[in-house]
């Protein structure tokens, strides 16, 4: 059955309907991105009175800066850990809900709530819980013989922001995994059970391959979330410290540009960050998507 096509009698009307979205895209994405690219080739004096075109000098300085290379490594580690942790826990929770349990609706509602919390609030919440002086988590860890102080220990600071960022994203992943699991035909799972396949084999050979489109979509969304949407969380918990231990790229763009007033370097960093995300998305669609069966 073919879908009915909509034909506009006025040829200009479709362009008028598209105009609001095009204006919003140009004002809030195209224009700022173009300004960032332009500023990345310039050097501005501290008072903003004089601007000099310096070609690629901001980029060459950037990749020769050990602090920037450290930030690049921290961002990769942070993105991989947040993506793996949030997607793994979400899948386990979705499998638990997909079974016939009496409180599944209450369980689902409670798991969705964290998604409505702003990243800054999430950061403050976890900052209180892991505060070395008043937090409940360091108190429990001290009872287990573990000394926790993320203000001076870079590894503990990174663990804190990974846990907080993953917790924020679990509810989002959970919703998609539940929807994906409910779309898996029960007849296939029952047929495999009749043939003698155990629960793990049924999940690994039937359910998980059918979840591949959902998993692939969430993989892209989670990497972009970890690289772009965690600024508020980092600012509320560690502010990039201690000693640059949690200074991921998106926070370094802010600290160099707005705190250090180095607009040229900050713009170059934002352009590099945008190219990294575009490259990762292109690689995922070009090579990973081929292994997915829709």
């Amino acid at each position: 059955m073919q879908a009915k096509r909509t034909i506009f009698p006025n040829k200009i009307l479709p362009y008028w309907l598209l105009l609001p979205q095009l204006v919003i895209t140009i004002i809030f994405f195209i224009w700022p991105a173009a300004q960032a690219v332009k500023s990345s080739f310039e050097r501005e004096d501290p008072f903003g009175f004089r601007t000099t075109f310096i070609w690629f000098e901001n980029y060459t300085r950037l990749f020769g800066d050990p602090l920037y290379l450290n930030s690049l490594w921290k961002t990769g580690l942070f993105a991989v850990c947040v993506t793996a942790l949030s997607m793994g826990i979400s899948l386990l929770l979705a499998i638990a809900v997909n079974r016939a349990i009496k409180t599944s609706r209450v369980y689902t509602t409670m798991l969705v709530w964290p998604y409505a919390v702003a990243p800054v609030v999430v950061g403050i919440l976890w900052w209180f819980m892991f505060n070395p002086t008043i937090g409940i988590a360091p108190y429990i860890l001290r009872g287990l013989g573990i000394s926790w102080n993320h203000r001076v220990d870079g590894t503990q600071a990174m663990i804190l922001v990974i846990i907080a960022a993953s917790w924020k994203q679990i509810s989002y992943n959970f919703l998609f995994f539940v929807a994906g699991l409910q779309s898996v035909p029960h007849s296939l799972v029952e047929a495999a059970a009749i043939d003698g396949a155990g629960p793990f084999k049924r999940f690994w050979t039937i359910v998980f391959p059918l979840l591949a489109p959902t998993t692939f979509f969430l993989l892209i969304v989670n990497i972009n979330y970890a690289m772009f949407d965690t600024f508020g969380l980092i600012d509320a918990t560690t502010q990039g410290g201690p000693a640059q231990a949690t200074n991921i790229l998106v926070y370094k763009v802010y600290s160099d540009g707005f705190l250090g007033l180095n607009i040229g370097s900050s713009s170059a960093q934002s352009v590099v960050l945008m190219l990294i995300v575009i490259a990762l998305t292109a690689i995922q669609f070009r090579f990973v998507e081929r292994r997915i069966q829709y």
Side-chain angles (χ1 to χ4, degrees):
M1 181 178 178
Q2 293 183 348
K4 188 177 180 181
R5 296 183 60 185
T6 302
I7 300 175
F8 293 94
N10 187 340
K11 293 183 178 180
I12 302 177
L13 180 60
Y15 297 101
W16 279 108
L17 296 176
L18 283 174
L19 185 61
Q21 183 62 45
L22 290 174
V23 170
I24 291 172
T25 304
I26 291 171
I27 292 176
F28 292 102
F29 179 72
I30 303 295
W31 176 252
Q35 285 295 312
V37 173
K38 174 178 173 291
S39 298
S40 69
F41 293 102
E42 296 175 343
R43 179 190 296 149
E44 192 171 310
D45 65 38
F47 302 101
F49 295 140
R50 184 180 179 185
T51 302
T52 309
F53 190 77
I54 57 172
W55 290 100
F56 293 95
E57 191 174 326
N58 284 325
Y59 291 95
T60 54
R61 285 188 177 182
L62 202 61
F63 289 103
D65 183 3
L67 293 178
Y68 182 74
L69 298 179
N70 174 67
S71 179
L72 200 61
W73 156 247
K74 296 294 182 186
T75 305
L77 177 66
F78 177 72
V80 170
C81 291
V82 169
T83 303
L85 189 63
S86 62
M87 289 184 66
I89 294 175
S90 305
L91 183 57
L92 291 175
L93 295 173
I95 292 170
V97 165
N98 196 43
R99 294 184 178 183
I101 56 177
K102 292 182 180 178
T103 57
S104 61
R105 290 186 178 180
V106 177
Y107 184 52
T108 304
T109 304
M110 292 180 66
L111 283 173
V112 171
W113 278 352
Y115 186 63
V117 182
V120 176
V121 179
V122 172
I124 294 173
L125 175 70
W126 285 91
W127 180 86
F128 270 113
M129 285 196 294
F130 279 87
N131 187 288
T133 306
I134 59 174
I136 184 68
Y139 176 77
I140 296 173
L141 291 173
R142 273 196 299 273
L144 299 174
I146 300 173
S147 176
W148 177 276
N149 191 346
H150 64 269
R151 293 172 178 170
V152 295
D153 191 317
T155 303
Q156 293 182 354
M158 178 57 79
I159 292 173
L160 171 60
V161 293
I162 287 172
I163 292 174
S166 302
W167 180 81
K168 173 74 173 65
Q169 194 66 2
I170 282 174
S171 54
Y172 180 86
N173 298 336
F174 168 78
L175 286 175
F176 280 88
F177 275 132
V178 168
L181 286 171
Q182 290 179 350
S183 66
V184 174
H186 292 288
S187 58
L188 293 177
V189 181
E190 290 172 357
I194 293 172
D195 289 341
F200 179 77
K201 190 173 184 180
R202 290 200 300 270
F203 174 79
W204 190 248
T205 58
I206 296 174
V207 177
F208 191 70
L210 293 174
L211 278 177
T214 305
T215 307
F216 174 68
F217 167 75
L218 290 177
L219 180 68
I220 297 172
V221 170
N222 278 264
I223 290 176
N224 286 325
Y225 158 76
M227 299 187 76
F228 274 111
D229 201 21
T230 50
F231 166 78
L233 189 148
I234 297 289
D235 190 52
T237 51
T238 62
Q239 296 183 336
Q244 311 285 326
T246 57
N247 197 15
I248 62 174
L249 290 178
V250 69
Y251 194 79
K252 187 170 173 56
V253 169
Y254 160 76
S255 61
D256 286 358
F258 287 88
L259 302 180
L261 298 180
N262 192 347
I263 303 299
S265 176
S266 177
S267 300
Q269 291 176 43
S270 64
V271 171
V272 171
L273 183 60
M274 182 174 62
L275 292 177
I276 289 173
V277 173
I278 291 173
L280 285 175
T281 306
I283 289 170
Q284 287 167 345
F285 275 104
R286 180 70 175 81
F287 298 104
V288 181
E289 193 183 26
R290 286 183 175 181
R291 299 176 182 272
I292 295 175
Q293 299 176 357
Y294 289 97

